Amino acid sequence: MKRLLPHPVLTVTLTILWLLLVNQFSAGQVILGALLGWLIPFSTTRFWPDPIRIHQPLALMRYFVVFMYDIVLGSFQVAYMILRGPSHLRPAFIRIPLVLKTDLAISLLANTISLTPGTVSAWLSEDRRTLIVHTLDTGDAEALVADIKQRYEAPLKRIFEGSE
Amino acid sequence: MLMTVIPIAYTLVSLAFLLSFWRLIKGPDAPDRILALDTLYINTLALLILLGIHLGSAIYFEAALLIAMMGFVGTVALCKYLLRGDIIE
Amino acid sequence: MNDFLLSVLILTGAIFTFIGSLGLARLQDFYTRLHGPTKATTLGVGCLLIASALYFSIRDGGVSLHEVLVSLFLFITSPVSAHLLAKAALHLRVKSLATLPTQKGDTPPKHP
């Protein structure tokens, strides 16, 4: 089973991507998509370091909803800051100490930070313990770090690394 | 109503083009120019989608997808060049 | 009704695209300029793509979802390119309004 279907999550994702690409939801396309979804991970299996394990699918859904809401909110805030003019901005670099360990969780956190209100992740330190983030308008850096840790990092840790 | 909104949208996206282009010329540093090029790619994407809605043709979608991919690969390659002084190691 | 919704989406999309580029042209240093295109422009193009999906779904009477593919791609790639650009700028020590991080290991090393 493990050898025949090395990456079940990737297979499902590729099938859905194929259906979206051809924009046609007939039975034939579903079969072709599933075939490609099986063949591509199977033939590139040495390229994928380790299979993704999702501990709490429901938490992932909730994370996604929070994420979408924050993207919309973030874009409105950034738009307002741009229109108000550069003299009102208080840009700063802040350091976020990480508890996440896996590559996937860290990159998801960095991407989330880049898409949400007024922050862009700029650099992950060599020892992968600290994320340097550039913020557009910082009042209280401590509060911002605490907010990011509680809002994004804690759920990501629960979803991808289990609660232990 | 749609046909009055679309020209306004064209105007706004074209202005976005001009602003990004100005930043591309002005610089002052290499990352600024790469960022301007990246923004120009995304603006092109917006323009193509608008064109698709305006002319009612789904063909522009494929072009938009290709431009999105090429834009990303181009930005990554240029950043890699700035970081390492080399693209293929 | 559909027409109205489409118009609102298109207008929002175009305005956000414009604001993203305005930020690129108007703000003072590279790191703040990075914020405009990554967030505002991404949402702007996202709105336009939703409008396009809606338009073709209504016109052809089916579901047209392939626009989702482009938005997905854009939402995955735009933070990655922003991160790489910020990294390159830190590496080149591009001038910033904020104080650059100084601790060892907090910035990319100089290449040999």
Side-chain angles (χ1 to χ4, degrees), chain A residues 58-99:
Chain A
L58 258 167
L60 186 64
M61 295 293 285
R62 198 168 60 224
Y63 181 78
F64 192 67
V65 172
V66 171
F67 176 58
M68 290 312 276
Y69 173 77
D70 284 350
I71 287 175
V72 176
L73 196 75
S75 305
F76 272 100
Q77 280 183 4
V78 168
Y80 172 69
M81 285 175 205
I82 290 170
L83 290 178
R84 201 167 56 151
S87 55
H88 292 86
L89 297 176
R90 290 166 293 173
F93 283 97
I94 57 171
R95 313 173 78 232
I96 299 179
L98 293 174
V99 267

Side-chain angles (χ1 to χ4, degrees), chain C residues 60-84:
Chain C
D60 301 340
V63 264
S64 171
L65 281 178
H66 62 183
E67 280 85 356
V68 176
L69 211 61
V70 182
S71 3
L72 210 65
F73 186 79
L74 210 61
F75 275 102
I76 292 170
T77 58
S78 82
V80 176
S81 38
H83 180 84
L84 274 169

Side-chain angles (χ1 to χ4, degrees), chain C residues 20-68:
Chain C
S21 294
L22 185 68
L24 181 69
R26 192 179 181 196
L27 296 179
Q28 303 286 321
D29 75 328
F30 172 75
Y31 302 95
T32 51
R33 266 175 229 147
L34 198 53
H35 288 265
T38 12
K39 293 189 208 57
T41 309
T42 308
L43 187 78
V45 177
C47 279
L48 285 174
L49 283 163
I50 295 170
S52 168
L54 206 65
Y55 176 79
F56 285 108
S57 297
I58 294 165
R59 201 197 58 171
D60 301 340
V63 264
S64 171
L65 281 178
H66 62 183
E67 280 85 356
V68 176

Side-chain angles (χ1 to χ4, degrees), chain B residues 1-6 53-54, chain C residues 1-12 50-52 54-56 58-59:
Chain B
M1 183 161 180
L2 203 58
M3 286 304 140
T4 54
V5 166
I6 283 179
I53 299 175
H54 187 192
Chain C
M1 183 57 210
N2 281 329
D3 226 30
F4 177 72
L5 191 62
L6 267 177
S7 308
V8 170
L9 276 172
I10 290 174
L11 213 55
T12 323
I50 295 170
S52 168
L54 206 65
Y55 176 79
F56 285 108
I58 294 165
R59 201 197 58 171

Side-chain angles (χ1 to χ4, degrees), chain A residues 83-150:
Chain A
L83 290 178
R84 201 167 56 151
S87 55
H88 292 86
L89 297 176
R90 290 166 293 173
F93 283 97
I94 57 171
R95 313 173 78 232
I96 299 179
L98 293 174
V99 267
L100 297 172
K101 292 279 186 310
T102 53
D103 288 352
L104 180 73
I106 293 176
S107 39
L108 273 179
L109 179 70
N111 280 11
T112 312
I113 286 173
S114 292
L115 280 174
T116 46
T119 47
V120 166
S121 63
W123 170 252
L124 178 67
S125 69
E126 302 271 279
D127 58 358
R128 326 177 125 255
R129 290 282 181 72
T130 328
L131 194 64
I132 309 294
V133 172
H134 182 262
T135 61
L136 198 50
D137 192 26
T138 331
D140 184 358
E142 302 275 310
L144 186 66
V145 172
D147 191 43
I148 287 172
K149 286 187 88 69
Q150 183 255 325

